[in-house]
Amino acid sequence: MEEERADEITEDESGELEDLRRYIEDFTSFLPLAFCMVNPLDYVLDSNDAFQEISGYEKMEVVGKNINFLFKNRGKLESFIARVASKKSVVEEEMTLVTKEKKEIPVKVSALSRRDEKEAFSGYFITVSDITETKRFEEDLERKIKERTEELEKAKERLEESEKVLEIKIAARTRALEELNEQLEEKVKERTKEIEDKAAELEQKAEEMRETQTALLNLAEDTDKASREAEEEKEKTLAIINNFTDGLLVFDAENVLSLINPRAEVFLNVRGGDFVGKRLAELGSFSRLEPLVSILKKERKAVLKEELEVREDLVLEVSSVPVVMKKKNIGMLVILHDITREKAIERIKSEFVSVAAHQLRTPLAGIKWTLQSILEEEEEAKIPEEVVEFIKRAYEANDRMINLVNDLLNVTRIEEGRYVYEPKKMEVKEVMEPVIEAYEDAIKAKGLEFKIEEPEEKLPLVKVDEEKIRLVLQNFLDNAMKYTSKGRVTLSLEASDDGEEVKFTVSDTGVGIPEDQQKRLFNKFFRAANVQRMDTEGSGLGLFIAKNIVEAHGGEVGFSSKAGEGSVFFFTLPALQER
């Protein structure tokens, strides 16, 4: 019997490994980066679709062949592979890939060695990225720099020629003055001193003229240099914007679209020239831009981030950032980031968690039933007390595993929109009393005071999914009990002043939550550092599930806490106006 069970487990494990292998193959094929796997003798073992696309070779045309037939410089490739084999980290090199059509493509090659259990070299992985556009951009940049340098040299030569002409003119003028001075000395000796004074005055003016000319030339040179630098910076900025991988839209202070880059045009399937100069309100009249305009019109305090599904195969993250200069808002920058791949991976991950959790439920339920049957028959079977204790621990651990699987399934259903709610009209006490009965004895058994506070007047009816709301209340009471070692746990109920909602509050005198970790409290799998030291078995999913349940009912979840002094958690539910 035990051998049959062992065989069943082996077959299950084999099936799981085969599923995992297929999943890894599917995931590798899904990658947009060209990828192949090579053995220690440099023969290709496998490649993905992206590698076939960049090389032009079908998978079966490269599998089993030496990797060097794909690259132009084989000596460089051999040196590169030697470095890969000697290192455990990623090695990168620029090479020339020769496609099936004999086309040479500049590529960036990254490789990582594979090691067996004894750290022996067992082959390597290679990824290939096309850098044709990068090389072309670098060549264009070098050409523009060379052209600018030649222009500067020509301008310098023109300036030197101007200086020489000026020197000749000044020399000619000086000689004319000297000749005139000699003529005046011969004719009127009595006016020699006056003429000398006049000559000195003219000389001074000539010097001032030279200085003025020099200053004007320097100013012209500085102006020309500043103009060239400004133009160069403008061209650099435009080049960066036009080659940016994210879509960019720039609006001025009057919400007029002043710039849209090529990537944004591709995302939105529009021509920028048709929309530049139009106001945000005008853009909303175009069907292709209406969803984006609806997001940008939303009221916001600072940065706005929201997802936008443009079409089935394109999901964008829209970020709106105010542009501020000298504390004055001069416009708005809108960034469109493609998160299609991230959403697809998130969906795949969610599906994997769902499948894994479903697969775990059946064996865990079987284990629970078996352990429960043994515990129910412990007296008749005369099982030793030590063994019974081990079985009880196993039963409790298995029960925690079942709860964790259920939490994972609930999280998956919430994220996929499959978490079904069946609301009905109920009295608040009908929701609360079964939970109180389940936790009252456990809280008191721990030595804590359990206090219930409710108003004297009758509370309004609520329309809720009874099972889901009880799950929220159980989560709050369970946390309060687990993380409070002394003091009290209080459950209070109250209706708002306008009677439109009912508020449930659970407060404790426990360890509290550190201030620097409070922002992440309702995130999946998050647990504060101080409670992890007290209880290592929590999943970090309870508060995430509770928040989604309450918000699905139209309510609100909140808390206040201080480390070492306790916490107060609350949630509200809309009240029905009828009594």
Side-chain angles (χ1 to χ4, degrees):
M1 189 70 170
E2 292 180 355
E3 292 178 357
E4 292 177 358
R5 289 183 180 176
D7 291 338
E8 292 175 0
I9 293 173
T10 305
E11 291 174 0
D12 290 343
E13 291 176 346
S14 175
E16 291 177 1
L17 288 174
E18 178 63 22
D19 289 343
L20 181 59
R21 184 187 66 76
R22 291 177 181 172
Y23 175 77
I24 291 173
E25 287 180 355
D26 292 342
F27 184 75
T28 304
S29 297
F30 175 76
L31 287 174
L33 190 63
F35 165 90
C36 69
M37 184 167 61
V38 186
N39 70 6
L41 299 178
D42 301 329
Y43 287 96
V44 179
L45 299 178
D46 195 7
S47 67
N48 67 350
D49 294 344
F51 191 87
Q52 297 168 34
E53 182 177 346
I54 193 172
S55 67
Y57 288 100
E58 296 294 333
K59 179 185 287 190
M60 298 312 298
E61 291 178 322
V62 295
V63 171
K65 290 187 177 181
N66 196 296
I67 189 69
N68 62 17
F69 87 96
L70 291 169
F71 295 95
K72 182 177 180 182
N73 191 332
R74 298 188 179 182
K76 188 175 183 180
L77 178 64
E78 291 175 358
S79 174
F80 174 73
I81 293 173
R83 285 192 289 135
V84 172
S86 64
K87 292 186 177 181
K88 296 182 180 180
S89 58
V90 175
V91 180
E92 295 183 343
E93 185 67 77
E94 290 187 4
M95 297 186 188
T96 301
L97 177 72
V98 181
T99 67
K100 185 177 180 179
E101 293 75 19
K102 305 303 179 183
K103 181 180 177 182
E104 297 183 357
I105 302 175
V107 293
K108 181 177 181 181
V109 183
S110 301
L112 178 66
S113 63
R114 295 189 296 123
R115 307 280 172 173
D116 59 17
E117 295 178 353
K118 297 181 180 181
E119 292 298 316
F121 177 68
S122 62
Y124 50 93
F125 299 104
I126 280 185
T127 62
V128 179
S129 303
D130 188 347
I131 59 172
T132 303
E133 291 301 323
T134 303
K135 288 293 185 181
R136 185 178 294 117
F137 176 76
E138 291 175 352
E139 291 172 358
D140 289 344
L141 186 61
E142 289 176 358
R143 178 179 55 78
K144 289 180 179 179
I145 292 172
K146 183 178 179 181
E147 290 174 356
R148 288 294 182 185
T149 304
E150 291 175 354
E151 289 177 5
L152 288 173
E153 290 294 334
K154 291 178 180 178
K156 183 179 178 182
E157 291 174 1
R158 289 196 297 269
L159 180 60
E160 289 174 352
E161 290 175 0
S162 298
E163 289 176 347
K164 290 178 180 178
V165 171
L166 182 61
E167 288 176 356
I168 293 170
K169 289 182 178 180
I170 292 173
R173 181 63 175 166
T174 303
R175 285 196 301 271
L177 290 173
E178 290 174 351
E179 291 173 359
L180 179 61
N181 186 46
E182 290 175 358
Q183 292 174 2
L184 290 173
E185 283 180 348
E186 291 176 357
K187 293 180 180 181
V188 189
K189 289 184 179 181
E190 61 271 13
R191 296 182 62 186
T192 300
K193 187 177 183 305
E194 184 179 341
I195 293 173
E196 289 176 352
D197 293 341
K198 188 67 176 178
E201 183 181 346
L202 291 173
E203 184 66 29
Q204 183 178 357
K205 288 182 179 180
E207 182 63 29
E208 290 175 355
M209 186 185 297
R210 285 196 296 270
E211 292 176 355
T212 302
Q213 183 70 22
T214 303
L216 288 172
L217 288 171
N218 291 336
L219 179 60
E221 183 181 2
D222 292 342
T223 303
D224 184 57
K225 181 180 179 182
S227 176
R228 289 196 305 272
E229 290 178 350
E231 186 66 25
E232 185 178 348
E233 288 301 321
K234 179 182 177 181
E235 289 179 358
K236 287 180 180 177
T237 303
L238 287 175
I240 291 171
I241 291 173
N242 289 334
N243 290 281
F244 206 59
T245 56
D246 287 343
L248 297 178
L249 296 93
V250 179
F251 293 86
D252 62 16
E254 303 299 326
N255 276 340
V256 175
L257 181 63
S258 58
L259 184 146
I260 177 170
N261 75 340
R263 193 61 174 169
E265 294 178 348
V266 173
F267 284 156
L268 302 175
N269 193 21
V270 298
R271 289 197 311 168
D274 296 339
F275 300 98
V276 171
K278 295 185 182 294
R279 292 182 177 274
L280 182 62
E282 295 178 69
L283 298 178
S285 61
F286 297 93
S287 59
R288 293 178 183 175
L289 298 179
E290 194 276 332
L292 175 62
V293 173
S294 299
I295 293 174
L296 299 179
K297 282 184 176 179
K298 291 182 180 179
E299 184 178 352
R300 58 188 180 277
K301 295 181 180 179
V303 178
L304 169 76
K305 276 195 175 183
E306 193 164 326
E307 291 182 7
L308 172 64
E309 185 173 354
V310 179
R311 54 182 184 270
E312 187 176 348
D313 60 343
L314 178 60
V315 181
L316 301 177
E317 181 184 68
V318 181
S319 302
S320 172
V321 184
V323 181
V324 180
M325 179 181 290
K326 296 181 180 179
K327 299 183 179 180
K328 183 180 179 182
N329 190 346
I330 62 171
M332 174 176 64
L333 173 64
V334 179
I335 304 170
L336 307 178
H337 179 59
D338 186 356
I339 58 170
T340 307
R341 181 171 176 268
E342 289 85 343
K343 297 296 289 184
I345 292 173
E346 183 179 338
R347 185 172 62 255
I348 292 171
K349 180 182 68 176
S350 179
E351 291 173 356
F352 171 75
V353 171
S354 178
V355 171
H358 274 293
Q359 293 296 324
L360 285 170
R361 291 184 74 176
T362 301
L364 289 173
I367 294 170
K368 180 177 181 178
W369 179 83
T370 302
L371 294 175
Q372 189 174 4
S373 299
I374 294 173
L375 290 174
E376 288 174 354
E377 299 176 4
E378 62 173 289
E379 293 183 1
E380 297 179 5
K382 296 181 181 180
I383 301 173
E385 187 175 340
E386 296 84 357
V387 176
V388 172
E389 185 63 29
F390 283 124
I391 295 173
K392 286 181 179 179
R393 291 180 185 176
Y395 181 84
E396 292 172 358
N398 184 74
D399 214 31
R400 286 195 294 271
M401 281 293 295
I402 292 174
N403 290 334
L404 175 59
V405 168
N406 289 334
D407 284 347
L408 288 171
L409 286 172
N410 287 337
V411 168
T412 304
R413 293 184 185 120
I414 288 171
E415 291 179 335
E416 295 178 354
R418 297 188 294 104
Y419 204 44
V420 180
Y421 295 90
E422 299 178 357
K424 60 182 179 179
K425 295 179 183 179
M426 296 188 68
E427 293 279 355
V428 173
K429 281 191 175 182
E430 290 183 87
V431 180
M432 183 181 67
E433 285 177 351
V435 181
I436 293 175
E437 291 175 2
Y439 277 87
E440 186 172 17
D441 293 340
I443 293 174
K444 290 180 178 179
K446 194 176 179 181
L448 302 174
E449 178 187 352
F450 185 47
K451 188 177 180 182
I452 302 172
E453 298 177 349
E454 54 184 313
E456 295 180 359
E457 64 273 11
K458 188 176 181 181
L459 291 169
L461 293 173
V462 290
K463 190 173 183 179
V464 297
D465 184 315
E466 179 181 2
E467 179 185 351
K468 305 292 193 302
I469 293 301
R470 282 178 182 169
L471 184 63
V472 176
L473 199 54
Q474 288 169 5
N475 184 274
F476 283 10
L477 287 172
D478 191 57
N479 286 342
M481 180 182 69
K482 281 198 298 187
Y483 305 129
T484 303
S485 56
K486 61 181 179 178
R488 66 182 179 279
V489 175
T490 304
L491 169 62
S492 61
L493 297 172
E494 60 180 327
S496 61
D497 294 337
D498 55 12
E500 292 186 355
E501 62 182 19
V502 178
K503 184 176 182 181
F504 296 73
T505 305
V506 175
S507 57
D508 62 62
T509 56
V511 297
I513 304 161
E515 185 176 355
D516 61 340
Q517 300 181 35
Q518 292 182 6
K519 290 183 179 179
R520 302 167 56 200
L521 193 61
F522 290 100
N523 291 356
K524 287 184 296 184
F525 305 110
F526 175 76
R527 300 180 70 222
N530 56 343
V531 302
Q532 289 184 41
R533 291 191 293 269
M534 296 176 60
D535 182 2
T536 59
E537 296 174 353
S539 67
L541 296 173
L543 290 178
F544 172 81
I545 295 172
K547 184 175 186 291
N548 280 274
I549 290 174
V550 173
E551 290 178 350
H553 281 78
E556 180 186 359
V557 176
F559 73 97
S560 61
S561 181
K562 191 172 182 180
E565 297 184 11
S567 304
V568 177
F569 281 81
F570 71 86
F571 67 92
T572 62
L573 294 174
L576 296 176
Q577 296 305 313
E578 57 182 326
R579 294 289 178 177

